[in-house]
Structure formats: C-alpha cells, structure tokens
C-alpha cells in the first residue's frame, strides 16, 4: 500500500479519486471500426499490439460494430455524432466518403502531423490528394485494398474441368454454366446489397473500361447510356448463377459457401485473402475480375481524429502507429491489404499480397462506390437501395433509371 501511494505521489496522481484538479487525463482511446471477426479482427489485433508497444500508458478500447463494409457501423456513428458522443477515432474510406465528415465539421485537420511524421514523402501522391480537401489532410491511411478480385475454390473448379481463369466476361459466364452442369447449384457466392454493388461495379469496369467507369462518378459518363444497359444485362446473367438467399447474407456467410465447396467463385475485396486463410482455407485461388484488364479498383481504410475526442493525446499516438512503417507491416500482413506506404518491405506478405503490390504499381487505379472512394455515403445508400429492389423485381430498365437518378443528385454537369 505504501509503495502504491509513493508511486502515485511520484506520478502526481491523486489518491482521492476523480473530481479534483489532479484528475489524470484519459488514457483510453476508443477506436471505432467494423472489424470484428476473421482476418479483419486479426488485422485490428495486430495494430492494437503495435499501438500498445508504441504508446505506453494508453489503452485501446474497441468500439467496433459488426457488419461488412460498415453498413451498421456508419449508421451508429451518425447517431453518436448527433448526440456529441464521438469515438476518439474512426475508420473512414479515403476519397468521397471522407468529405461528408469534413463538411459536417466532425473531424480534425491532421496536416501538421503529416509534416512532423514525414508522411508526405512515403505515401503515394495521388492517395494524399484523395485525403486532402481544401488544402488540408484529414485522415491517416492504413492500407490499400483491392475490390475487383474473384476468389475461387480450386477443387470445385477442377471437378468441373476448369483449370484456368476466364479471359473475359463471356468465358466467365461459360465457366459458371459448366459448374452448374456439374451439379454446383450456386456457382457464384453472392451476398447482400453492397456486395451486389461490388459485382455490378466490376462488370461496369469490364464493359465501360477504367476511364468510362471512373467517369460515372464525375459526370463524364452517362448512366443512361447503352454500355450501362449492356453491363446490367451481364450483371443479371451473373446473378442467375448465384445463391437465391443472397439478400440475407453478409460477405463472410457468402464466403462460407466458397469454403464449403457449395460455390466455385466469389467476387470480393482482398480482405477475403486474409479471411480465407484465417478460416482454415489457405488454398484459395484468385484472379482479377474478367475483362477488368489492369484496372485496380482501390479503397483505403483511414483513421481520423474526431472533433471533440476525449483523448487527443492517445489518439495522436494511435494515428502515428497507423501511419508508421511497422504499424502498416503488421496490420496489412494480417488484413489481406497492402501497405499504403511505399517503403514497407514485401517480406512477410502472402503470395496474393505480393501480387497485389506488383499490380498496384503497374495497374490503372479506379475508385469504388461500394467502399467509399468514388461516391459519398448518401449516393452509396441510394445505389444499394436500387440494387435491393432490383434483386427482387429484376427490371433492368428500372435499375438503370434508379442508378441514373441517384447520380443526378450528386453530379453536377
Ligand atoms: C471495406 C473495408 C475493408 C473491409 C470490408 C469488409 O469497406 O475497407 O477493410 O472491412 O469493408 O467489411
């Protein structure tokens, strides 16, 4: 007891508890994500271990809310912001999604940290531009994910005589038909709204090309055009090879169909690489979505400093770890993504990740609406709603007009 009191006195900590001027500053950093299981949780855990080592006296508090792509987390975050109870830091995608928070005055300018931590020189200039609004930088990126990847169960494919990746969409649809003929009831594992948006985006990249696709979000490409109609026809063909309960499944449950051999393919971002390994299925195969060529559909998880954060000092230390070379090494090795920093060695990353690193260097970057780099949240919500009604009604013309109307609200000609 004497020893404890002596240490407390040395540290200037009041033995009488809180409520007086000596109240110690908060030492807990609440980190808000949607990473709760499998490879996602493994990535977060690795980052937390590094944070604990880098930031003595600070403790991680997990504010995660389950739901792929943040479907539930973002709703909860909005409610917390409205009642002025923000987490200290939260996960947000670089690009359009961040602008909502900036315009609402919900996150702080981190430009000075970029300078003192030397981040400008080690992050790709284009990524820094996507994080910058009106000359200020508002978040620290942890990674680069790739969205337009198809994951495979090689044993299921082999049983249907499929040994090479399809070279284009027509060949992909032919392979799906082969699987069906071989008795695989739902060759393509599908999940709810946002995962269907990912599939539609991948098809749009094939049918419009990277420039045409990116133009859909800047007003340079017409959502009412013939190529979008063609993509919707392809999308419909792909849906017909999927599981009928798609609207009820989040991505890990759809992925389970692949692992269990009930499906041959799943289109999903490369968080699947880590998740498949974490769930005991390291023998997966992968290829870039057929017809996407060198398009690398990227998104970047980044972390913010909330306006009104209770523990600014601890959050600064969290952000420093997120942006550090070691933080990015340990986090990404477990998460399936690749470091946003360009100076992290590729050793210790999986064969898939090594291939993604090479593709990121040589590929054509295109953004993602499903994962926030291409469109703000309200646009994404409108598109997800259009896909959910399409999933039950299947009227391609209505889908195209809903997609066009959603774009009209956000893109000014
Ligand atoms: C994305 C996010 C990824 C992963 C994925 C599935 O939006 O960028 O890190 O969490 O959702 O939940």
């Amino acid at each position: 007891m004497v020893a404890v009191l002596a240490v407390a006195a040395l540290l200037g900590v009041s033995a009488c508890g809180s409520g007086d001027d000596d109240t110690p500053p908060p030492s807990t950093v609440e980190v808000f994500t949607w990473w709760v299981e499998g490879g996602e949780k493994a990535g977060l855990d690795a980052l937390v271990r590094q944070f604990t080592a880098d930031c003595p006296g600070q403790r991680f508090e997990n504010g995660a809310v389950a739901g792929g792509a943040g479907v539930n987390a973002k709703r909860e975050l909005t409610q917390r912001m409205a009642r002025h109870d923000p987490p200290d830091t939260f996960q947000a995608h670089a690009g359009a999604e961040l602008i909502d928070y900036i315009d609402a005055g919900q996150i702080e300018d981190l430009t000075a940290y970029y300078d003192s931590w030397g981040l400008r020189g080690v992050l790709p200039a284009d990524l820094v531009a996507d994080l910058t609004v009106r000359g200020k930088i508002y978040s620290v990126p942890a990674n680069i994910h790739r969205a337009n990847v198809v994951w495979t169960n090689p044993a299921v494919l082999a049983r249907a005589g499929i040994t090479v990746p399809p070279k284009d969409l027509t060949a992909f649809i032919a392979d799906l038909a082969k699987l069906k003929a071989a008795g695989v009831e739902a060759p393509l594992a599908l999940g709810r709204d946002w995962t269907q948006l990912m599939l539609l985006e991948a098809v749009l990249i094939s049918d419009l090309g990277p420039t045409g696709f990116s133009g859909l979000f800047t007003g340079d490409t017409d959502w009412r055009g013939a190529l979008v109609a063609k993509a919707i026809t392809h999308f419909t063909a792909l849906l017909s090879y999927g599981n009928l309960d798609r609207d009820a499944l989040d991505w890990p449950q759809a992925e389970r169909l692949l692992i269990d051999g009930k499906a041959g393919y799943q289109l999903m971002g490369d968080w699947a690489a880590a998740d498949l390994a974490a769930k005991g299925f390291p023998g997966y195969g992968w290829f870039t979505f057929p017809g996407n060529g060198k398009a690398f559909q990227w998104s970047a998880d980044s972390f913010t400093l909330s306006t009104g954060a209770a523990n600014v000092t601890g959050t600064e230390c969290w952000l420093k770890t997120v942006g550090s070379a070691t933080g990015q090494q340990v986090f990404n090795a477990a998460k399936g993504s690749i470091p946003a920093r360009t100076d992290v060695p590729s050793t210790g990353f999986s064969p898939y990740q090594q291939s993604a690193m090479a593709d990121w260097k040589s590929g054509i970057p295109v953004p993602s609406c499903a994962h926030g780099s291409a469109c703000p949240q309200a646009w994404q919500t409108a598109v997800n709603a259009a896909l959910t009604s399409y999933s039950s009604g299947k009227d391609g013309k209505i889908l195209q007009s809903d997609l066009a109307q959603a774009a009209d609200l956000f893109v000014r000609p």
Side-chain angles (χ1 to χ4, degrees), residues 22-23 44 100 106 113 177 198 204 221 264 268 285 296 357 391:
D22 293 334
T23 304
L44 180 60
D100 293 337
Q106 290 165 332
Y113 299 115
M198 290 185 71
L204 285 164
T221 303
M268 191 39 59
F296 188 116
M357 286 175 192
S391 190

Side-chain angles (χ1 to χ4, degrees), residues 34-35 40 68-69 91 93 145 194 251 271 299 301 335 371:
W34 54 88
W35 297 331
E40 312 213 299
Q91 172 190 359
H93 293 116
H145 266 304
W194 65 268
W251 74 273
W271 41 92
S299 70
D301 295 306
K335 179 72 165 66
H371 299 286

Side-chain angles (χ1 to χ4, degrees), residues 137-360:
I137 312 177
Y138 288 87
S139 70
V140 177
N143 62 4
I144 301 289
H145 266 304
R146 185 176 196 177
N148 56 333
V149 186
V150 178
W151 306 92
T152 74
N153 183 322
V156 172
L157 301 190
R159 278 200 294 277
I162 302 168
T163 51
V164 291
K167 63 178 192 322
D168 55 21
L169 263 179
T170 309
F172 189 32
I173 292 171
D175 283 349
L176 287 163
K178 270 189 211 159
L179 281 175
K180 193 135 200 166
V184 181
E185 210 177 297
L188 182 61
L190 296 171
R192 56 176 296 184
D193 50 5
W194 65 268
T195 77
Q196 294 167 33
L197 174 55
M198 290 185 71
L199 185 64
L200 176 63
E201 289 194 66
V203 175
L204 285 164
I205 297 170
S206 291
D207 284 333
L208 278 72
T211 309
F213 172 79
S214 299
L216 290 169
F217 301 97
T218 59
D220 290 339
T221 303
D222 184 6
W223 280 96
R224 294 179 173 81
L227 288 178
V228 173
K230 181 180 173 191
I232 289 175
T233 307
H234 276 140
F235 173 66
T236 309
L238 292 174
L239 287 192
S240 73
Y241 289 101
N243 43 300
L244 292 177
D245 60 352
R246 57 181 175 258
D247 296 328
L249 305 189
D250 203 342
W251 74 273
Q253 289 122 32
E255 184 192 70
R256 177 50 59 192
L257 300 175
L258 188 77
I259 297 173
D260 290 348
K262 294 185 178 145
Y265 302 107
Q266 182 184 25
L267 177 276
M268 191 39 59
D270 54 13
W271 41 92
D275 203 59
L276 288 164
K279 292 179 178 162
F281 191 69
Y284 58 83
W286 75 87
F287 52 81
T288 303
F289 188 81
N292 277 197
K294 288 175 84 66
F296 188 116
Q297 192 181 31
W298 69 276
S299 70
D301 295 306
S302 69
F303 283 91
T304 58
L305 170 60
S306 299
T307 299
N311 182 1
V312 174
T313 308
T315 308
E316 284 167 2
C317 203
W318 168 263
L319 295 174
K320 191 173 182 187
T321 296
V322 167
S324 69
T326 315
Q328 301 217 346
Q329 160 85 40
V330 297
F331 170 68
N332 287 292
K335 179 72 165 66
S337 39
I338 61 175
R341 289 179 69 118
T342 51
D343 61 346
V344 178
S346 60
T347 41
F349 288 93
S350 70
Y352 165 75
Q353 287 167 310
Q354 310 241 2
S355 81
M357 286 175 192
D359 288 352
W360 177 235

